[in-house]
Amino acid sequence: QGLDYTSPATGQIVINDRATLVNAGALFNIRPSSPITINRTSAAVSGALLATNGGSLVLRASAGNPGQVTNHGEIIVDADSTLQAVGPVIIQGGSEGLLDIGSAGALMIGNVGTALAATESLTTNNLVELDNFSTLQLTLDPTALKNGQLRAGSTLGIAPFAELHLALVNDQVLPDGTRFTLIDYGAFAYSQHFFNGHANGSTFVLGLNHYRINYADTPDPGYNGAIT
């Protein structure tokens, strides 16, 4: 069974120095009308929202209500679990907050089953860590040259064995030389640019098509320091 919070607009879920555990395939589904605040009131005890053992955290937002989570503690996704951002999701709370996608965890931006999947985003000023064997999934619409985006105002750390996975809305062959930004590293104060299996100039597969990835260093607007 899933936990689906649909409180009134004034409702709020607050976690103070304790963990909310979502495991064994359970779903923690937070709607736009139900903001959640994670507080760390003690340096010795983590205030955390934790998903593990196949659990799923889904943060939903809308254009009129993008504010979703205030995280001064930790959001931890581990052990085959996922954190999915649907809509223009915002996680705020400053650099003291941690968004940790641990081993075998996945951070999914967008929902392939929706028409706006490739325009959905996660924006955060928390520290974002993609640990070894974790996955960042971005939703792509190659026909419209749009993609879901991870944006941050602080730090993005990508471990050597983290993976980049691209989920398609439309599977069409792109003309040679077509470019669009997957991740704009200019939004981060620090980053390790390379994903496992996607070194500069390597190829990856979308459906039946093969593409080359480029870690751009050109001065083109929107592409400086980006994966294209």
Side-chain angles (χ1 to χ4, degrees):
Q1 299 294 326
L3 300 175
D4 192 345
Y5 284 87
T6 55
S7 304
T10 56
Q12 181 167 276
I13 306 163
V14 179
I15 298 174
N16 292 317
D17 292 348
R18 64 186 66 184
T20 296
L21 180 65
V22 182
N23 62 13
L27 171 66
F28 191 82
N29 194 358
I30 305 174
R31 302 285 179 175
S33 59
S34 309
I36 184 168
T37 299
I38 303 169
N39 295 319
R40 189 201 308 269
T41 60
S42 169
V45 182
S46 295
L49 180 63
L50 174 66
T52 188
N53 295 329
S56 179
L57 305 175
V58 180
L59 308 180
R60 298 182 183 272
S62 63
N65 189 359
Q68 189 78 43
V69 176
T70 301
N71 177 30
H72 296 285
E74 298 180 41
I75 299 175
I76 304 171
V77 179
D78 215 341
D80 301 315
S81 296
T82 62
L83 170 64
Q84 184 174 10
V86 178
V89 171
I90 295 176
I91 299 176
Q92 54 190 349
S95 58
E96 76 278 9
L98 175 63
L99 176 56
D100 185 7
I101 310 301
S103 179
L107 174 58
M108 301 171 61
I109 311 299
N111 181 356
V112 179
T114 65
L116 298 177
T119 63
E120 294 174 320
S121 62
L122 171 62
T123 302
T124 180
N125 57 356
N126 283 180
L127 170 63
V128 181
E129 290 284 357
L130 294 166
D131 296 341
N132 279 325
F133 310 110
S134 66
T135 300
L136 171 61
Q137 176 175 305
L138 298 176
T139 307
L140 283 162
D141 183 351
T143 59
L145 302 184
K146 294 181 179 179
N147 57 273
Q149 294 189 40
L150 170 64
R151 306 184 183 98
S154 57
T155 300
L156 171 65
I158 303 173
F161 293 100
E163 295 185 358
L164 174 63
H165 180 74
L166 307 175
L168 281 186
V169 175
N170 294 300
D171 185 11
Q172 301 288 335
V173 178
L174 294 178
D176 186 40
T178 301
R179 296 184 299 175
F180 55 100
T181 302
L182 299 181
I183 303 172
D184 184 0
Y185 284 108
F188 298 93
Y190 169 78
S191 60
Q192 300 172 27
H193 282 51
F194 299 98
F195 285 89
N196 181 41
H198 296 290
N200 191 49
S202 65
T203 59
F204 60 95
V205 178
L206 294 178
L208 300 177
N209 307 313
H210 291 73
Y211 298 95
R212 184 174 65 187
I213 196 165
N214 175 40
Y215 294 86
D217 56 3
T218 66
D220 299 347
Y223 293 102
N224 189 26
I227 299 179
T228 58

